[in-house]
Amino acid sequence: MNTVVDPILRESHATYQEKAREYLTSHQLADFRRCPLLYRKKKLGLVEDEDRPAFLVGRVLHTLVLEGRETFEREFAVGGPVNPKTGELYGSTTKAFAEWAAQQGKPVLTMQQHDLVERMAEGVRGHGLARDLLSDGTPEGVVRAEYCRMPCQIRMDWFDLHRGIVDLKTCDDLDWFEADARRYGYVQQVAFYQAVLSQVISLYQPVFFVAIEKREPFRCGVWQVHQDILNQAQRENAAAIERLRRCMDSDTWQTGYESLRLFDAI
């Protein structure tokens, strides 16, 4: 009897990050497209990824919306120590809060951050299309495959064989989400997901963005990414991977700004 192996893996974020030493990820490819030297320094551990409070809010939202409240409560702490003189929580910049946070053994959310995440999650759940897309599937599914002659890995926010790939994004203003997607390379990111996944299931899956605002009125929007745009982004990714292979062969890592540029527009 033939055994069917599910290509979608479930593993911790730490395991996925450790495997990124061996496999190319969408974020690494984005670093390379921006600056080969930045990519190289990050691979050597000379530059660490920045971790801002906004990034924590995004990670928590993904956990709460995609993996559920039980996982959220297991992986994050909320609140802080109480000042016995006032009966109020110590501020997040105080020594007492820092000591309490260090004792939790996991990332800590202030009450303000927790309230923000809850309201954002409510915004996602209140959108009919978003709720339907996320009603059934696998959260944080990992796939590894060879793509463009490179070992690659992806970690999809959400995947369902009948609906496709869903990428959950946060934004300041939903009116500008499409501009943000272009600025931050979101299409290249999900095109990488689609292409790597197709190596193991031999099928191009539809791709959707679910975007939620980080402030009132916490609007949520859903976009399906047109396949023509995904195809264009995949060509850009493939060209970038080919440049990456040449850099690896020659051990030459430039910034992309070595030549003279002409400033000819106001």
Side-chain angles (χ1 to χ4, degrees), residues 47-252:
V47 176
E48 293 186 2
D49 286 319
E50 188 178 6
D51 192 12
R52 301 197 300 252
F55 295 163
L56 174 62
V57 167
R59 290 199 303 273
V60 176
L61 178 74
H62 278 68
T63 302
L64 181 58
V65 170
L66 303 176
E67 300 187 82
R69 189 164 299 278
E70 182 178 343
T71 303
F72 160 72
E73 292 177 350
R74 182 174 65 249
E75 295 188 358
F76 299 96
V78 178
V82 176
N83 186 331
K85 296 182 180 179
T86 64
E88 302 290 337
L89 294 176
Y90 280 102
S92 60
T93 60
T94 62
K95 179 181 179 182
F97 182 90
E99 292 175 345
W100 173 84
Q103 295 170 358
Q104 303 309 303
K106 52 188 174 181
V108 170
L109 291 172
T110 65
M111 294 304 298
Q112 293 82 2
Q113 289 173 321
H114 178 249
D115 179 64
L116 173 61
V117 169
E118 290 283 1
R119 300 181 76 178
M120 292 170 69
E122 183 179 344
V124 174
R125 289 191 292 265
H127 193 290
L129 288 175
R131 188 171 60 248
D132 181 64
L133 281 171
L134 300 173
S135 62
D136 190 29
T138 301
E140 306 294 347
V142 173
V143 172
R144 295 189 175 91
E146 183 173 295
Y147 174 60
C148 294
R149 296 189 295 165
M150 286 281 289
C152 299
Q153 68 175 20
I154 59 173
R155 188 180 180 92
M156 301 172 289
D157 287 347
W158 190 265
F159 175 68
D160 175 63
L161 189 60
H162 303 290
R163 293 180 175 86
I165 300 168
V166 181
D167 204 48
L168 178 61
K169 297 295 188 186
T170 64
C171 63
D172 290 321
D173 188 332
L174 207 62
D175 295 337
W176 292 98
F177 173 73
E178 292 180 30
D180 288 345
R182 297 184 186 96
R183 177 184 179 187
Y184 297 117
Y186 292 165
V187 176
Q188 286 82 357
Q189 177 186 1
V190 293
F192 185 79
Y193 292 172
Q194 186 193 61
V196 173
L197 177 64
S198 73
Q199 302 303 302
V200 296
I201 67 172
S202 301
L203 183 68
Y204 272 7
Q205 288 287 291
V207 177
F208 300 88
F209 288 126
V210 172
I212 180 68
E213 290 179 326
K214 294 182 286 187
R215 60 183 179 182
E216 290 284 4
F218 299 101
R219 294 178 298 173
C220 180
V222 177
W223 283 259
Q224 181 171 356
V225 188
H226 197 288
Q227 188 58 49
D228 288 349
I229 301 302
L230 289 165
N231 292 342
Q232 178 182 335
Q234 285 180 18
R235 290 191 292 269
E236 294 174 6
N237 284 341
I241 293 173
E242 180 58 32
R243 294 195 303 274
L244 172 57
R245 290 173 55 83
R246 291 199 298 268
C247 287
M248 294 170 64
D249 290 341
S250 64
D251 197 23
T252 302

Side-chain angles (χ1 to χ4, degrees), residues 37-49:
L37 183 60
L38 175 65
Y39 164 88
R40 181 58 173 167
K41 286 192 171 185
K42 284 191 175 183
K43 289 292 283 186
L44 294 175
L46 301 177
V47 176
E48 293 186 2
D49 286 319

